[in-house]
């Protein structure tokens, strides 16, 4: 959850010519499928990109203890990659979350959205911030597309 202070900080950083990428975790016990759309709306509103992943409740962590009984794939370590929903929620299939995350990746990294974010970076950072951002976003776009292509539920 990002509050107004964080939003203002992001705007100030961007005004200095520094691109901002939000790394965030979804798939918590209280995150509904609508959370993915909220992330997209947030990124569009602030003209930032994001690297969304699923929360991973690793053994030995406080969150793992707190959510005992809600963890799926208890010892299937291939699922602990940040790409799979690992928390059971009542009434929501974990596959819905996995598909919502993949849809978010596709929508976040369309060429029009990437272009819009690039032109919103202050010229104070030109050209290095723009080039670095473009390379990062295009690489992430490519990686996510490949993951989705190879995805097997």
């Amino acid at each position: 959850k990002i509050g107004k202070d964080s939003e203002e900080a992001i705007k100030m950083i961007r005004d200095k010519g520094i691109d901002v990428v939000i790394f965030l975790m979804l798939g918590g016990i209280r995150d509904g499928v609508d959370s993915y759309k909220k992330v997209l709306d947030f990124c569009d509103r602030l003209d930032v990109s994001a690297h969304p992943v699923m929360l991973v409740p690793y053994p030995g962590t406080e969150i793992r203890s707190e959510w005992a009984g809600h963890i799926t794939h208890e010892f299937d370590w291939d699922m602990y990659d940040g790409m799979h929903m690992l928390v059971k929620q009542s009434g929501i299939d974990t596959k819905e979350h996995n598909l919502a995350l993949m849809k978010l990746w596709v929508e976040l990294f369309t060429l029009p959205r990437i272009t819009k974010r690039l032109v919103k970076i202050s010229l104070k950072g030109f050209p290095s911030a723009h080039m670095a951002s473009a390379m990062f976003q295009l690489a992430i776009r490519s990686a996510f597309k490949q993951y989705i292509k190879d995805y097997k539920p």
Side-chain angles (χ1 to χ4, degrees):
K1 312 295 182 232
I2 297 180
K4 281 288 177 205
D5 290 343
S6 297
E7 288 188 27
E8 289 303 315
I10 289 168
K11 289 176 186 174
M12 286 175 31
I13 292 167
R14 288 188 50 82
D15 288 345
K16 300 292 183 194
I18 300 169
D19 192 26
V20 175
V21 178
I22 307 293
F23 183 86
L24 53 102
M25 292 183 284
L26 296 160
I29 207 156
R30 290 174 210 67
D31 285 336
V33 178
D34 64 329
S35 298
Y36 304 88
K37 175 74 170 109
K38 289 177 184 176
V39 168
L40 185 64
D41 293 343
F42 173 82
C43 290
D44 284 347
R45 188 174 71 252
L46 292 181
D47 297 313
V48 296
S49 63
H51 187 122
V53 297
M54 290 294 189
L55 183 134
V56 180
Y58 288 110
T61 62
E62 190 175 313
I63 203 152
R64 175 70 166 230
S65 299
E66 185 180 321
W67 293 352
H70 295 279
I71 308 298
T72 64
H73 306 290
E74 206 53 54
F75 296 106
D76 185 355
W77 300 116
D78 288 341
M79 302 299 275
Y80 283 65
D81 59 2
M83 309 294 189
H84 295 90
M85 177 70 166
L86 297 173
V87 179
K88 287 183 262 182
Q89 296 178 336
S90 61
I92 301 174
D93 184 1
T94 58
K95 288 179 181 144
E96 284 184 65
H97 279 275
N98 294 340
L99 294 173
L101 179 63
M102 287 186 272
K103 181 179 179 188
L104 176 59
W105 291 338
V106 169
E107 291 182 7
L108 271 172
F109 293 100
T110 62
L111 292 177
R113 277 195 167 98
I114 291 171
T115 303
K116 181 180 179 242
R117 288 190 291 260
L118 289 173
V119 299
K120 294 289 185 159
I121 299 172
S122 168
L123 289 177
K124 293 177 184 177
F126 187 79
S128 57
H130 298 76
M131 290 171 41
S133 180
M135 289 188 305
F136 168 78
Q137 291 186 71
L138 291 171
I140 290 292
R141 179 179 192 258
S142 176
F144 285 155
K145 283 181 131 185
Q146 186 63 50
Y147 178 85
I148 292 166
K149 181 180 167 195
D150 296 342
Y151 179 74
K152 292 172 184 55

